[in-house]
Each structure stands twice: as structure tokens, then as C-alpha cells.
Amino acid sequence: MASSSLVDVLTERPKRARRITSVEVLCAVLLLAILGQSWLQNALNVPALRTGSTIFVAVCVQALPFLVLGVLLSGAIAAFVPARVLRRVLPRRTAAAVGVAGLAGIALPGCECASVPVARRLMGQGVAPAAALTFLLAAPAVNPVVLVATAIAFPGKPEMVLARFLGSLATAVVMGLLWARWGKLDWIVRRALERMPEGAGGRWRAFAEIARTDLVEAGGFLVLGGVISAALNVLVPQSWFAVLGGQLVLGVVVMAVLAVVLALCSEADAFVAASLTALPLLPKLVFLVVGPAIDVKLFALQAGTFGRSFAVRFAPVTFVVAVGCALAVGLPLIGGAR
């Protein structure tokens, strides 16, 4: 008995101390901010600080449900969809696979936060990175929820809905083709390309573990993106927009940059753009095409998911392509209209 007890003690695995994850910290901060909103408003009686805290909470609360949806979908793809099924559905030719992935974004409503973990798991299941990245850019920009929101924000202007759809789809497809031609797998961290075993056992356990891991990783970078977005929102004076009304080129540049730094959710950015009545439609279109493709929040999520080496290459090219596609579609469709 004594020797048996000694063996049990010696062979017993040490219990790991439970660590507090970034998602738990985020949920606690949001809960405290919501419950103590009135107290915080009185205690932090600094207009800029109050504005920044409100924007931070708004960005995180707005994006978190879609982030959860994305990690659940990514876990389901990795655990329940065999790689052979995905390879059978997508065409073998890279160009055709990129086109199908771009159109697939129509069927899955979500924001950019949701598309990042899904694209990661598509890669892990053997889908070509060019097709996965095309889906990453298309899903938050061409789905029906975004298009309906755009139509409501711009009543009587169906050309804005069409221009946003075509500009965003073109951005996703062009980036997919560019990656297929010049992209390198060495830029993506190895963990993002890991494949799940296709065995029949333990799929629900694998689903829960994958979803939990993706949520913890992406949640921390969502908080970082929310902080950056809140800080930059406070630093941009609202009076600047009145000056841009008669400067079309300057308006395009400024709105493209603001789309990156404001980090709005794709389901809500149309209402923000429509509220800037002093600007023509073309800068607003650039804002709506660039925002879902690349912003500070999305850059942080991409860096955390695919690695910094990938993000510093992919993000600047995406910005240039998005602006170019928005202008190529917007000039013939809406021109300088207001």
C-alpha cells in the first residue's frame, strides 16, 4: 500500500495553474464599463477620455458577437469538415478557386473579426491560401447584411450599393490573385497552417478546443485594436470634414486613412459615412471599400493569427488595391455626385 501510494504520488501529473485569458479580461472590462457607466462619466469628467472610452466599448461590443461567430464557424470547419471535401468543392485552378471564394463571401454574413479565424482554419484544412485570403476580404464586405445596411444608409442611391459590392469583390479577388502569384508560405506562421486529423473520434472535443484557442488569441488583439481605434478617434477633429467638401482628391486620401484608423464594423460603417453630408459620394465609397479590407483592428488580428511578417506585407498592399478598386468602380458609377 505504501509503495503503491508512493508510485501514485511520483507519477501524478502536476496540476496546471489556471490562467486568466484575454477574453475573460475583455468581458470583465466591458461588464464593468456597462454597469458603471454613470459613475465613470462623473469620475472621468474629461471629454476626450469619455469619448475614447465610449468608442473602445462600442468597437469591442460591436465586434465581439461576430468574432464569436467566426471562431465557432472556424472550429466547425476544422473539426467536422474533412479536408478532402473542401478540396472537392473548390476548383483546382487557383484563379477559379479565388473567384469561388470571393462569391462565397455573399453567403456568410459577418465582419472582418469573424473572417480571420475562418480563413485560418480553411488554410489548415488544405484550402489554397489565395482562396482563403480572398474569402477573408470578401466575407465582411459583400454579404447581404452589409449591402442592405448600405442601401438603408444611402436611400435613393442604388449606385452606391452596386459600387460597394463591385469594389469590395474586386479588392478580394485581386488580392487573392496577387497572393497566388507572389505570396510565400514562409510569411505565414506555422501554427496557422496546421491541419486537423480526420479521425472520427473526439470531433466535439476538437471543436471546443479549436474555438477556445482561436477566441483567446483573437480576443486579445481585438482589445488592442479597440484601444488604438479609440485613441485615434479622439485625435481626429470633426471640423476637418467641412474643409474636405470641395477637395475631391484630398477627401479620397483622408477617408481612406480614416477607414483604417477608425476601425468600424462593416455592418455599421455605411451609416457613419452617410452622416458626413459635406463629402461627395466617391470619398465615402473609398471609406466603405477600404474599411472592411484593412483597419487597425484587422491588422492586429492578422498579425496575431498569421504572424507579423504576413501582416506587414499583406496590409499595405490591401490598402492600395482597395483604394484603386474603389476609384476604378466609383468614377464611372458615381463620379463626383453627392
Side-chain angles (χ1 to χ4, degrees), residues 108-148:
L108 291 174
C111 73
E112 53 272 23
C113 299
S115 64
V116 173
V118 175
R120 171 186 178 177
R121 290 306 169 188
L122 287 174
M123 291 183 190
Q125 291 296 80
V127 173
L133 294 174
T134 301
F135 176 83
L136 182 151
L137 295 174
V142 302
N143 67 73
V145 176
V146 170
L147 298 179
V148 170

Side-chain angles (χ1 to χ4, degrees), residues 218-303:
F221 288 94
L222 172 60
V223 174
L224 176 61
V227 171
I228 295 174
S229 175
L232 293 175
N233 266 277
V234 172
L235 297 177
V236 177
Q238 295 296 318
S239 59
W240 288 7
F241 292 111
V243 181
L244 301 177
Q247 304 287 337
L248 186 61
V249 176
L250 182 60
V252 167
V253 174
V254 171
M255 291 301 287
V257 174
L258 283 182
V260 175
V261 300
L262 294 183
L264 299 175
C265 188
S266 58
E267 278 80 6
D269 57 1
F271 299 96
V272 175
S275 67
L276 305 175
T277 55
L279 291 177
L281 290 180
L282 189 59
K284 297 179 183 180
L285 175 64
V286 172
F287 180 84
L288 296 179
V289 173
V290 172
I294 180 63
D295 58 34
V296 292
K297 171 170 50 50
L298 184 57
F299 176 82
L301 288 170
Q302 289 178 358

Side-chain angles (χ1 to χ4, degrees), residues 124-212:
Q125 291 296 80
V127 173
L133 294 174
T134 301
F135 176 83
L136 182 151
L137 295 174
V142 302
N143 67 73
V145 176
V146 170
L147 298 179
V148 170
T150 305
I152 295 173
F154 294 91
K157 294 183 174 62
E159 64 274 15
M160 275 296 289
V161 182
L162 178 61
R164 181 176 194 179
F165 173 80
L166 294 178
S168 297
L169 183 61
T171 299
V173 172
V174 169
M175 286 302 300
L177 294 176
L178 289 177
W179 178 270
R181 178 65 179 84
W182 287 288
K184 297 180 181 179
L185 289 180
D186 295 340
W187 298 342
I188 302 177
V189 293
R190 183 174 301 178
R191 67 174 184 274
L193 302 173
E194 292 177 351
R195 298 191 180 187
M196 293 298 299
E198 298 186 12
R203 291 191 180 273
W204 281 105
R205 185 174 182 180
F207 165 74
E209 182 62 24
I210 292 167
R212 184 193 65 81

